[in-house]
């Protein structure tokens, strides 16, 4: 095993290091979610922490790492005899993004259970991580049902495996650490809330600090062992400090004054539920123990809030995590009165009411979330919409006029209208794509619809079909008593139907005609509403815009719906309408995505008034481009943005060429959206019909 990078050699990232150390002191804090851009030492810090974790005593031969001092009475390998303990380092177990449920929680040997009546259980990663660290890199890309299992085990301290009447339970207490890049997609808010602490990390913009990062990394790559030896003393100091803080932790006193501050802070920031209060209390207690004190100070509560509340403040999926520190300070000051049980703020060990000061090579300065944007920072920041030309013009010449002097004239970006709730939009047929919540698909989880012989390892046994397959052969197999003689070829895998996530590709008309009729605000509001729906249904999204003479991929297909919303807000408008270019660009994007992920089915949403005015023979080229999509069976819908007393019906014609459905922009709100994409039937069927 290669020598890990020393934890104390990491430059900066004070919040990240402190959050990890607090969980090492008190795993009850609930783990850490580390959010940040690529290349910010997220994985390096987590792997480095494993070398600082104190060793553990385990029962010899126990696959579930039982503590000899208090063995698990329900351990599948028990009961354990006293005097068989061995010492070993705490483990760090990594959960791959593509892991199966059986790999995470363990698997029962169904064949032996049926044929021999024994509980043959193979432990999973949760058992391996017991009393150690469980690390999930790119946790936002992990399937939701695995994240649910993982967080349930972390909360309960145990893992349960139940299948076909056979039940196994074992202890699973571990320090949970997840890392993610928000650009690749967000975790759902309810999953964010299950992580105790969240830290936002970013690369330093200070040249001197960046130089030091590079210098240390190069030295480590040249000779890892020599580099680690240079930091051995600092590592030992921190390791000893973790042990001392763990011993001190039961003696730390959380007074009523600190509890009032915690409750008032959570109430002031309107966090849901009571988990935030509990996490803050445990974090503040761990902070005091880490500082070598037995009393929790106001600064501990403040620091706990900065680590435990930002990710719980998200009221909308597109809100950035953050905390208003001025409001936090005002709340702490308002409820900062002491009571008779609180320690003297100027007494010994109190630090005179100042932030706890650490000493030693790995001193941790009080971390601040100065770079974390608060709720106010997430305002769109867009300037008001500029004056729009009068509505009602039609024809190619209007594009020139709407550009105020020609197609090169830019229009001011407008803010999106208020988003609204949409109904379920589905792609027809039965897919086999990534797990999600949109269209019907064959999945590992869902309702059982049938049975088949397993291809590879058996994961979901269909008991009735297995018995039915084995029953006719019992006499030939010599069965002479009770029980059933089952062979491998009798086993049947349950086939299940659930929901998949799709690729929703938006193609948005940003020409001058859209801005001229003051429709862009409504258009952005409609697209934003569909983006919110895509976020909740775990879709990938992409955004293409077309204006002037070309089409641009404003956002390549990604799981980060937040990024799509941000690009939409700043969308410029103006110029002619190169509809053909937009459709051809969409065709190229979908072609590449089919090679990357053939199982994920696309849904094309074209937002336009249907006019084509850019390039030679624009109308004929647009129709030919639309027929390319229809020939490949791409489910599609055209959102008709045409307005005014004179309407040409061009969007409905485009929908007919696409083999999809057209829906008017003003029909997207409330229940009118039901006909938008639901049951899109492919090329030719229902072509050009307007959704009612």
């Amino acid at each position: 095993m290669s020598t890990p990078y020393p934890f104390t050699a990491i430059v900066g990232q004070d919040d990240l290091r402190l959050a990890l150390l607090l969980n090492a002191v008190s795993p009850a804090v609930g783990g850490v979610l580390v959010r940040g851009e690529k290349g910010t030492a997220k994985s390096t810090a987590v792997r480095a922490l494993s070398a600082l974790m104190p060793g553990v005593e385990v029962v010899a031969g126990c696959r579930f790492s039982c503590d000899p001092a208090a063995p698990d009475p329900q351990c599948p390998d028990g009961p354990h005899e006293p005097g068989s303990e061995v010492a070993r380092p705490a483990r760090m177990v990594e959960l791959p993004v593509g892991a199966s449920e059986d790999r995470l929680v363990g698997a029962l040997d169904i064949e032996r259970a049926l044929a021999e009546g024994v509980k043959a259980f193979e432990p999973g990663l949760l058992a391996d991580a017991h009393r150690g660290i469980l690390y999930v890199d790119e946790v936002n890309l992990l399937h939701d049902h695995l994240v649910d299992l993982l967080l349930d085990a972390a909360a309960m301290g145990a893992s349960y495996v139940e299948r076909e009447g056979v039940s196994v339970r074992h202890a699973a207490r571990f320090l949970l650490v997840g890392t993610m890049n928000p650009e690749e997609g967000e975790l759902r808010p309810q999953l964010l809330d299950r992580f105790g602490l969240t830290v936002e990390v970013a690369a330093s913009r200070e040249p001197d600090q960046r130089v030091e990062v590079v210098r240390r990394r190069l030295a480590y790559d040249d000779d890892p062992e020599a580099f680690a030896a240079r930091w051995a003393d600092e590592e030992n100091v921190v390791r000893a400090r973790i042990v001392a803080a763990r011993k001190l932790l039961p003696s730390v006193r959380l007074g009523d004054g600190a509890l009032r501050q915690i409750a008032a802070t959570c109430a002031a920031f309107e966090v849901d539920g009571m988990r935030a209060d509990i996490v803050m209390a445990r974090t503040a207690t761990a902070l005091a123990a880490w500082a070598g004190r037995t009393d929790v100070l106001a600064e501990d509560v403040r620091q706990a809030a900065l680590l435990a509340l930002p990710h719980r403040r998200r009221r909308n999926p597109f809100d950035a995590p953050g905390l208003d520190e001025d409001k936090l300070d005002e709340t702490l000051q308002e409820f900062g009165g002491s009571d008779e049980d609180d320690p003297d703020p100027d007494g010994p060990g109190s630090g005179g009411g100042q932030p706890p000061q650490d000493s030693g090579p790995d001193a941790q300065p009080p971390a601040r979330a100065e770079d974390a944007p608060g709720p106010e920072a997430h305002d769109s920041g867009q300037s008001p919409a500029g004056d729009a030309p009068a509505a009602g013009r039609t024809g190619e010449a209007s594009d020139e006029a709407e550009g105020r002097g020609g197609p090169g004239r830019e229009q001011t970006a407008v803010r999106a209208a208020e988003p609204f709730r949409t109904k379920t939009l589905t792609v027809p047929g039965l897919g086999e794509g990534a797990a999600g919540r949109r269209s019907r698909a064959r999945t590992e989880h869902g309702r059982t619809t049938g049975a088949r012989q397993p291809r590879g390892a058996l994961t979901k046994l269909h008991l009735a079909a297995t018995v039915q397959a084995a029953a006719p052969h019992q006499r030939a197999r010599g069965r002479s008593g009770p029980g059933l003689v089952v062979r491998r070829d009798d086993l049947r895998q349950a086939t299940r139907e659930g929901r998949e996530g799709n690729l929703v590709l938006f193609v948005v008309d940003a020409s001058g005609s859209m801005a001229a009729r003051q429709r862009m605000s409504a258009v952005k509001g409609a697209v934003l509403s569909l983006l919110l729906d895509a976020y909740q249904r775990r879709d990938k999204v992409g955004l293409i815009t077309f204006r002037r003479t070309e089409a641009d991929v404003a956002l390549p297909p990604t799981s980060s719906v937040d990024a799509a919303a941000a690009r939409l807000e700043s969308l410029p408008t103006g110029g002619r309408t190169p509809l053909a270019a937009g459709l051809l660009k969409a065709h190229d994007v979908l072609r590449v995505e089919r090679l990357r992920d053939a199982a994920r089915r696309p849904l094309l949403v074209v937002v336009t008034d249907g006019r084509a005015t850019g390039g030679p023979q624009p109308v004929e080229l647009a129709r030919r481009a639309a027929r390319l999509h229809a020939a490949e069976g791409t489910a599609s819908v055209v959102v008709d943005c045409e307005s005014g007393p004179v309407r040409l019906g061009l969007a409905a014609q485009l929908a007919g060429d696409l083999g999809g459905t057209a829906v008017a922009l003003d029909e997207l709100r409330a229940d009118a959206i039901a006909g938008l994409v639901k049951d899109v039937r492919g090329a030719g069927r229902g072509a050009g019909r307007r959704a009612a």
Side-chain angles (χ1 to χ4, degrees), residues 504-526:
V504 183
L505 183 60
F506 294 93
V507 181
V508 180
D509 184 350
S511 65
S513 61
M514 301 291 285
R517 296 182 175 87
Q518 302 185 20
R519 290 174 298 181
M520 188 51 70
S521 177
V523 167
K524 286 185 176 182

Side-chain angles (χ1 to χ4, degrees), residues 120-435:
F121 180 71
E122 185 66 28
L125 294 177
L126 292 179
D128 292 342
H130 180 46
R131 304 177 67 197
I133 301 173
L134 182 59
Y135 172 45
V136 188
D137 193 13
E138 307 293 355
V139 65
N140 53 322
L141 303 183
L142 198 65
H143 286 177
D144 282 355
H145 74 280
L146 292 181
V147 179
D148 288 333
L149 289 171
L150 183 64
L151 295 175
D152 283 343
M156 295 185 297
S159 175
Y160 295 85
V161 182
E162 298 188 16
R163 184 172 298 166
E164 281 73 43
V166 181
S167 177
V168 174
R169 174 228 172 258
H170 65 83
R173 292 183 295 275
F174 46 83
L175 193 169
L176 176 62
V177 184
T179 57
M180 60 175 282
N181 184 347
E183 294 178 355
E184 297 172 339
E186 283 284 0
L187 277 172
R188 289 183 286 135
Q190 54 267 46
L191 297 181
L192 277 173
D193 182 60
R194 300 289 292 275
F195 282 92
L197 309 180
T198 296
V199 178
E200 296 280 338
V201 296
S204 173
R205 299 299 184 257
E206 294 293 331
D208 291 342
Q209 194 171 72
R210 296 175 74 97
V211 167
E212 186 61 23
V213 170
V214 174
R215 181 181 292 118
R216 293 186 186 184
R217 186 70 208 192
L218 293 177
Y220 171 78
D221 291 340
D222 288 342
D223 192 341
E225 293 184 2
F227 184 81
R230 287 169 46 194
W231 292 88
D233 291 342
E234 287 82 351
E235 294 281 287
N236 290 333
V237 168
V238 176
R239 188 178 296 110
R241 190 172 173 185
I242 293 174
V243 174
R246 283 186 172 187
K247 292 180 179 179
L248 184 62
L249 187 65
S251 303
V252 175
R253 177 177 164 280
L254 184 65
D256 289 344
L259 277 173
R260 278 196 298 270
Q261 285 184 319
I262 290 171
T265 300
C266 292
F269 285 99
E270 300 179 350
V271 297
D272 296 330
M274 295 298 298
R275 183 176 285 119
D277 303 63
I278 297 171
V279 170
M280 275 189 65
R282 290 171 174 168
T283 304
T285 303
L287 279 162
W290 177 248
R293 290 183 277 99
T294 57
D295 293 307
V296 175
L297 305 181
E299 180 59 28
D300 297 325
V301 176
R302 185 183 193 279
Q303 182 63 70
L306 293 175
L307 293 172
L309 295 188
H311 61 297
R312 296 183 167 93
R313 279 280 300 145
R314 302 185 72 185
R315 318 308 299 177
N316 184 294
F318 297 150
D319 290 343
L323 206 65
D324 183 348
E325 293 195 42
D326 291 337
K327 181 178 179 180
L328 173 61
D329 291 335
E330 291 174 2
T331 303
L332 293 176
Q333 184 176 4
E334 180 181 355
F335 291 88
S338 61
D339 57 32
E340 60 182 6
D341 295 330
D342 284 335
D344 180 2
D346 297 321
S350 69
Q354 298 300 316
Q357 299 296 320
D358 297 336
S359 59
D362 193 57
Q364 297 291 332
R368 295 176 63 88
E370 294 171 351
D371 294 331
E376 296 83 356
H378 187 67
D379 196 1
S380 66
Q382 308 254 328
S383 58
D387 295 335
R393 291 189 296 267
T394 59
E396 183 174 331
S398 64
D399 273 342
E400 298 263 1
E402 287 150 1
R404 298 292 183 98
R409 176 66 182 265
E410 296 287 334
Q411 302 292 328
T412 305
V414 298
R415 182 177 300 180
E418 189 70 20
F420 50 87
R421 184 175 180 82
T422 68
K423 289 188 176 180
T424 305
L425 318 175
T426 62
V427 175
L430 193 63
E432 295 182 351

